[in-house]
Amino acid sequence: MGGRDYCCVVGCSNRRSDLPKGYAFHQFPKAPLSRRNSWIHATGRALTGKYKFVVTDNTKICGHHFVLGRKNADPTNIDYVPTMNLPLASSNAETPKERHRQAKGLLTTLIIPGQNVHTYTSDHAYHKFWVHPNATKVTETGVQCQPRCENKFQQTNHVHVQQTVDAITTVQKATQVTTTSSLLQIKCRQQQKLIMNYPQNYRLFTRRKKHSKMNCLKHKFCMETLLTNDENVQFYTGLPNIATFNALLEYLRPKAERLTYWRGKQTSTTGHIGNRGRVRSLSIDNEFFAVLVRLRLGLLVEDIAARFAISKTHFSKLFNTWIRFLRLELELLFPFPSREQVNEHMPPSFAKFPNTVVILDCTEIYVQKPSALQAQRQTWSSYKHRNTYKILVGISPDGTVTFVSTLYGGAASDRFIVNKSGILNLVKEGDNVMADRGFDISDDLTKMWCHIKYPSFSLWRIPVKCQSG
């Protein structure tokens, strides 16, 4: 039963688990007896004698020995009896060892009464066996009968013998296998029918596939179902409209298709072209969309991974990869603005400070207390009285973010971060930088022929006054 089924044909070692899809194991037919004997003879087993083959309910032949992979109950069909990949049909072997030796040839025999025996390989086995119910062996001259039947024929006259032979011939013709030409005609008709129905079947298949895909997308969290209008784009990604999202995506696509997912310090930056790992679980569009959703909505990794039907580990690698990629690409796409570009969008409240190009301030992010003592000292903020990361942010007078530094420990001073972040390399001679009084960078800016403005904040909505450093 099940995986324990095996083929009884001599020389065949197929099991149920070995057969491809569409092939099966078939039990021996119980009637008519001629068909049953034909099956036994096709397996290369003995019908009588000391090694007579006994058929049980568990004796089966695999579909590998049928032209179409399955048996057929129609006597005129090619698969009425096994015909493919068989041992020698007319075997004279008396022992199983001899039969197995003869089966190595994997030849099959075409036997038609009144004609010579023709031998074919398994690729041309368009034939059938027919064995008389009382027959023990098929030879070139016809059917050789059992001894008891032979004595009966000897006692009859020539007329009775001729009648018996005619009767046998009639039964043979009734159950005779279709010839090669008939089989080719049947296959031609089947192929013609398939060709005629192909356009209709292809349209039906395409329609069903499209319908199934649309039903699947309706219940899926992805870019195709959510970014259908500008409001959704702004809500999920923070970008103003669909056109901006598509333009930014097309700009990033050529390089995004050649990304190597981030694997920590083991990530290779060279030699990865053409060997980028496994196939992407998400498309480029949905990877970019997932990253923007996390940045915009602040969803947890577990939440986004469940929404996009991927693992948490995979999304974590994906997010780290895209963050580093966007940092490099967007820095080139949105460079630090010049004084002329800032003046074009200068608000009226800054009319008295026309040369102001950037407003600087530091912000801190709470982090978990590190276990290492040195890391505790580096991240301890005397201002927040907690362990933090510190980052320098610069905006233009109209509120556009124009500069973001890397993360520093909370113990780092504002002046240290300004000097290390590279912001001083972006300002030009004559530019004004506005900052809080805690930024003691007037000496550094003076070396660059720049000026710093310290706004003096007052309560009760009194107009802000700025003092030069």
Side-chain angles (χ1 to χ4, degrees):
M1 298 297 291
R4 298 191 296 272
D5 289 341
Y6 64 92
C7 183
C8 66
V9 176
V10 175
C12 181
S13 59
N14 284 341
R15 302 174 65 90
R16 182 175 293 275
S17 59
D18 299 332
L19 292 182
K21 186 177 181 182
Y23 289 79
F25 276 82
H26 305 283
Q27 292 181 338
F28 279 66
K30 297 182 178 180
L33 186 58
S34 60
R35 184 187 182 194
R36 185 182 180 88
N37 290 340
S38 298
W39 278 49
I40 297 175
H41 187 75
T43 63
R45 310 282 182 172
L47 290 171
T48 58
K50 180 180 179 181
Y51 298 101
K52 178 181 178 180
F53 187 62
V54 179
V55 179
T56 65
D57 292 340
N58 294 328
T59 306
K60 299 179 181 180
I61 297 180
C62 69
H64 190 58
H65 303 288
F66 296 89
V67 175
L68 300 180
R70 292 182 177 274
K71 67 179 181 180
N72 195 295
D74 184 7
T76 63
N77 190 278
I78 188 65
D79 288 328
Y80 187 65
V81 296
T83 59
M84 297 290 292
N85 305 309
L86 301 178
L88 288 176
S90 55
S91 174
N92 296 321
E94 296 296 335
T95 64
K97 183 181 293 186
E98 293 177 358
R99 290 198 304 270
H100 181 74
R101 189 182 303 113
Q102 292 184 4
K104 291 183 179 180
L106 292 179
L107 298 176
T108 52
T109 305
L110 173 63
I111 301 174
I112 301 177
Q115 298 183 12
N116 295 328
V117 177
H118 301 280
T119 303
Y120 292 85
T121 61
S122 58
D123 294 335
H124 301 82
Y126 301 117
H127 62 277
K128 282 180 180 265
F129 295 99
W130 186 89
V131 181
H132 192 268
N134 297 324
T136 60
K137 189 181 298 183
V138 180
T139 65
E140 291 115 343
T141 57
V143 180
Q144 179 180 343
C145 298
Q146 298 176 357
R148 60 180 182 178
C149 183
E150 185 176 346
N151 295 333
K152 182 178 179 180
F153 280 121
Q154 292 176 357
Q155 297 173 2
T156 58
N157 55 26
H158 178 73
V159 177
H160 292 162
V161 172
Q162 185 63 34
Q163 291 177 353
T164 304
V165 173
D166 293 342
I168 293 175
T169 304
T170 303
V171 176
Q172 287 178 336
K173 291 181 179 180
T175 59
Q176 187 175 339
V177 181
T178 57
T179 61
T180 303
S181 60
S182 300
L183 177 63
L184 292 176
Q185 291 176 1
I186 293 173
K187 289 195 172 184
C188 287
R189 287 196 295 269
Q190 292 176 348
Q191 294 295 334
Q192 290 175 356
K193 186 177 180 180
L194 290 175
I195 293 174
M196 292 177 61
N197 295 335
Y198 176 78
Q200 180 180 357
N201 294 337
Y202 179 77
R203 287 193 298 269
L204 180 61
F205 171 77
T206 305
R207 186 162 55 250
R208 289 180 178 177
K209 184 178 180 180
K210 183 178 180 180
H211 181 69
S212 176
K213 183 177 181 180
M214 293 301 297
N215 288 338
C216 182
L217 288 176
K218 288 181 180 178
H219 307 283
K220 189 176 180 180
F221 188 92
C222 61
M223 185 200 74
E224 291 80 4
T225 58
L226 296 177
L227 301 188
T228 56
N229 54 65
D230 294 343
E231 293 181 359
N232 287 350
V233 172
Q234 190 171 6
F235 174 78
Y236 285 107
T237 67
L239 299 176
N241 49 52
I242 298 177
T244 304
F245 177 86
N246 292 333
L248 182 58
L249 179 61
E250 292 304 319
Y251 172 80
L252 300 172
R253 187 183 300 277
K255 295 183 179 179
E257 292 177 347
R258 300 186 291 118
L259 285 176
T260 299
Y261 287 124
W262 176 258
R263 298 191 302 271
K265 295 181 179 179
Q266 299 178 355
T267 305
S268 175
T269 57
T270 60
H272 63 276
I273 303 301
N275 186 20
R276 297 185 293 276
R278 67 174 187 175
V279 180
R280 295 176 182 269
S281 302
L282 299 176
S283 63
I284 297 294
D285 303 22
N286 280 297
E287 285 187 0
F288 181 52
F289 175 61
V291 172
L292 293 183
V293 168
R294 175 160 169 76
L295 293 176
R296 171 66 173 176
L297 302 180
L299 300 179
L300 299 178
V301 173
E302 292 82 354
D303 187 5
I304 296 186
R307 291 172 185 258
F308 287 90
I310 57 177
S311 66
K312 297 183 294 183
T313 304
H314 180 59
F315 177 75
S316 179
K317 295 178 180 179
L318 184 152
F319 184 76
N320 287 329
T321 302
W322 273 87
I323 286 296
R324 288 163 173 78
F325 173 60
L326 292 176
R327 189 259 179 188
L328 296 175
E329 292 300 320
L330 297 183
E331 186 178 24
L332 300 176
L333 189 61
F334 302 101
F336 190 79
S338 62
R339 186 192 308 174
E340 292 74 14
Q341 292 174 331
V342 173
N343 290 335
E344 291 178 2
H345 305 280
M346 184 73 71
S349 57
F350 279 81
K352 296 181 180 180
F353 314 101
N355 294 332
T356 301
V357 294
V358 64
I359 304 172
L360 298 178
D361 197 7
C362 283
T363 184
E364 299 187 51
I365 304 172
Y366 294 150
V367 296
Q368 186 178 5
K369 182 179 179 181
S371 57
L373 295 179
Q374 183 178 1
Q376 291 181 18
R377 291 193 298 268
Q378 292 175 346
T379 59
W380 178 257
S381 173
S382 58
Y383 178 70
K384 297 289 185 179
H385 299 287
R386 291 188 61 175
N387 295 94
T388 64
Y389 280 138
K390 204 169 186 180
I391 187 171
L392 177 67
V393 179
I395 64 174
S396 61
D398 64 339
T400 303
V401 178
T402 58
F403 180 82
V404 178
S405 71
T406 57
L407 293 175
Y408 296 89
S413 64
D414 296 339
R415 181 174 183 176
F416 174 82
I417 295 177
V418 169
N419 289 318
K420 291 294 182 179
S421 63
I423 183 64
L424 297 180
N425 298 328
L426 300 177
V427 295
K428 306 299 180 181
E429 181 181 350
D431 290 344
N432 288 335
V433 177
M434 187 173 291
D436 187 71
R437 286 188 176 276
F439 284 81
D440 186 14
I441 57 175
S442 58
D443 295 340
D444 300 314
L445 290 175
T446 301
K447 296 178 183 179
M448 306 294 298
W449 300 96
C450 298
H451 307 282
I452 186 169
K453 299 289 185 180
Y454 295 109
S456 57
F457 296 97
S458 302
L459 298 177
W460 311 112
R461 297 184 180 181
I462 300 176
V464 176
K465 297 182 181 180
C466 292
Q467 300 177 0
S468 300

